[in-house]
Coordinates of all heavy atoms in Angstrom, one line a residue:
V1 N 103.7 83.1 117.9 CA 104.7 84.2 117.9 C 105.2 84.4 116.5 O 105.6 83.5 115.8 CB 105.9 83.8 118.8 CG1 107.0 84.9 118.8 CG2 105.5 83.4 120.2
K2 N 105.1 85.7 116.1 CA 105.6 86.1 114.8 C 106.5 87.3 115.0 O 106.3 88.2 115.7 CB 104.4 86.6 113.9 CG 103.5 85.5 113.5 CD 104.3 84.6 112.5 CE 103.4 83.5 112.0 NZ 104.1 82.5 111.2
Y3 N 107.6 87.2 114.2 CA 108.7 88.2 114.3 C 108.9 88.8 112.9 O 108.9 88.0 111.9 CB 110.0 87.6 114.8 CG 111.2 88.5 114.6 CD1 111.4 89.5 115.5 CD2 112.1 88.2 113.6 CE1 112.5 90.4 115.3 CE2 113.2 89.1 113.4 CZ 113.4 90.1 114.3 OH 114.5 91.0 114.1
R4 N 109.2 90.1 112.9 CA 109.6 90.7 111.7 C 110.7 91.7 112.1 O 110.6 92.4 113.1 CB 108.5 91.5 111.0 CG 107.4 90.7 110.5 CD 107.7 89.9 109.2 NE 106.6 89.2 108.7 CZ 106.3 87.9 108.9 NH1 107.0 87.2 109.8 NH2 105.3 87.3 108.4
R5 N 111.8 91.8 111.3 CA 112.8 92.7 111.6 C 112.4 94.2 111.4 O 112.7 95.1 112.1 CB 114.0 92.4 110.7 CG 115.2 93.3 111.0 CD 116.4 92.9 110.1 NE 116.6 91.5 110.2 CZ 117.2 90.7 109.3 NH1 117.6 91.2 108.1 NH2 117.3 89.4 109.5
G6 N 111.6 94.4 110.3 CA 111.1 95.7 110.0 C 109.7 95.6 109.3 O 109.2 94.5 109.2
N7 N 109.2 96.7 108.9 CA 107.9 96.7 108.2 C 107.8 96.3 106.8 O 106.8 96.2 106.2 CB 107.3 98.1 108.3 CG 106.7 98.5 109.6 OD1 106.1 97.6 110.3 ND2 107.0 99.7 110.1
A8 N 109.0 96.0 106.2 CA 109.0 95.6 104.8 C 108.1 94.4 104.4 O 107.5 94.4 103.4 CB 110.5 95.3 104.3
Q9 N 108.0 93.5 105.3 CA 107.2 92.3 105.1 C 105.8 92.4 105.8 O 105.1 91.5 105.8 CB 107.9 91.0 105.5 CG 109.1 90.7 104.7 CD 109.7 89.4 105.3 OE1 110.0 89.3 106.5 NE2 109.9 88.5 104.4
G10 N 105.5 93.6 106.2 CA 104.3 93.8 106.9 C 104.4 93.6 108.4 O 105.4 93.1 108.9
N11 N 103.3 94.0 109.1 CA 103.3 93.8 110.5 C 103.2 92.3 110.9 O 102.5 91.5 110.2 CB 102.1 94.5 111.1 CG 102.0 94.5 112.6 OD1 102.0 93.5 113.3 ND2 102.1 95.7 113.2
P12 N 104.0 91.8 111.8 CA 103.9 90.4 112.1 C 102.6 89.9 112.6 O 102.2 88.7 112.3 CB 105.0 90.2 113.3 CG 105.2 91.6 113.8 CD 104.9 92.5 112.7
L13 N 101.8 90.7 113.2 CA 100.4 90.3 113.6 C 99.5 89.9 112.4 O 98.7 89.1 112.5 CB 99.8 91.4 114.4 CG 100.5 91.7 115.7 CD1 99.9 92.9 116.4 CD2 100.5 90.5 116.7
E14 N 99.8 90.6 111.3 CA 99.0 90.3 110.1 C 99.3 88.9 109.5 O 98.5 88.4 108.7 CB 99.3 91.4 109.0 CG 98.8 92.7 109.4 CD 99.3 93.8 108.5 OE1 100.1 93.6 107.6 OE2 98.9 95.0 108.7
A15 N 100.4 88.3 109.9 CA 100.8 87.0 109.3 C 99.9 85.9 109.9 O 100.0 84.7 109.3 CB 102.2 86.7 109.6
V16 N 99.2 86.1 110.9 CA 98.3 85.1 111.5 C 96.9 85.2 110.8 O 96.0 85.7 111.4 CB 98.3 85.2 113.0 CG1 97.5 84.0 113.6 CG2 99.7 85.2 113.6
D17 N 96.8 84.7 109.6 CA 95.6 84.7 108.9 C 94.6 83.6 109.3 O 94.9 82.8 110.2 CB 95.9 84.7 107.4 CG 96.6 83.4 106.9 OD1 96.7 82.5 107.7 OD2 97.1 83.4 105.8
F18 N 93.5 83.6 108.6 CA 92.5 82.6 109.0 C 93.0 81.2 108.9 O 92.7 80.3 109.7 CB 91.2 82.8 108.1 CG 90.1 81.8 108.4 CD1 89.4 81.9 109.5 CD2 89.9 80.7 107.6 CE1 88.4 80.9 109.8 CE2 89.0 79.7 107.8 CZ 88.2 79.9 109.0
R19 N 93.7 80.9 107.8 CA 94.2 79.5 107.6 C 95.2 79.1 108.7 O 95.1 78.0 109.3 CB 94.9 79.4 106.3 CG 95.2 78.0 105.9 CD 95.4 77.8 104.4 NE 96.8 78.3 104.1 CZ 97.3 78.5 102.9 NH1 96.5 78.3 101.9 NH2 98.5 78.9 102.7
K20 N 96.0 80.0 109.2 CA 96.9 79.8 110.3 C 96.2 79.6 111.6 O 96.4 78.7 112.4 CB 98.0 80.9 110.4 CG 99.0 80.7 111.5 CD 99.9 79.6 111.1 CE 101.1 79.6 112.2 NZ 101.9 78.4 112.0
Q21 N 95.2 80.4 111.8 CA 94.3 80.3 113.0 C 93.6 78.9 113.0 O 93.6 78.3 114.1 CB 93.2 81.4 113.0 CG 93.8 82.8 113.2 CD 92.8 83.9 113.0 OE1 91.5 83.6 113.0 NE2 93.2 85.1 112.7
R22 N 93.2 78.5 111.9 CA 92.5 77.2 111.8 C 93.5 76.0 112.2 O 93.1 75.1 112.9 CB 91.9 77.0 110.4 CG 91.2 75.6 110.2 CD 89.9 75.6 111.0 NE 89.4 74.3 111.0 CZ 88.4 73.9 110.2 NH1 87.8 74.8 109.4 NH2 87.9 72.7 110.2
R23 N 94.7 76.1 111.7 CA 95.7 75.1 112.0 C 96.0 75.1 113.5 O 96.2 74.1 114.1 CB 96.9 75.3 111.2 CG 96.8 74.9 109.7 CD 98.0 75.1 109.0 NE 97.9 74.4 107.7 CZ 98.9 74.3 106.8 NH1 100.0 74.8 107.1 NH2 98.6 73.7 105.7
I24 N 96.2 76.3 114.1 CA 96.5 76.4 115.5 C 95.3 75.8 116.3 O 95.5 75.1 117.3 CB 96.8 77.8 115.9 CG1 98.1 78.3 115.2 CG2 96.9 78.0 117.4 CD1 98.3 79.8 115.3

């Protein structure tokens, strides 16, 4: 689950990069 208040930090879905996927 990724949350962002607004678009300033980018779309929350983009935060699940390859490294995060590998850890999960």
Side-chain angles (χ1 to χ4, degrees):
V1 179
K2 288 294 183 186
Y3 167 77
R4 298 286 186 265
R5 184 177 309 154
N7 281 320
Q9 292 179 307
N11 189 296
L13 297 171
E14 295 169 351
V16 185
D17 60 11
F18 178 76
R19 194 162 76 192
K20 182 70 173 172
Q21 292 172 19
R22 179 68 188 260
R23 286 184 168 182
I24 293 168

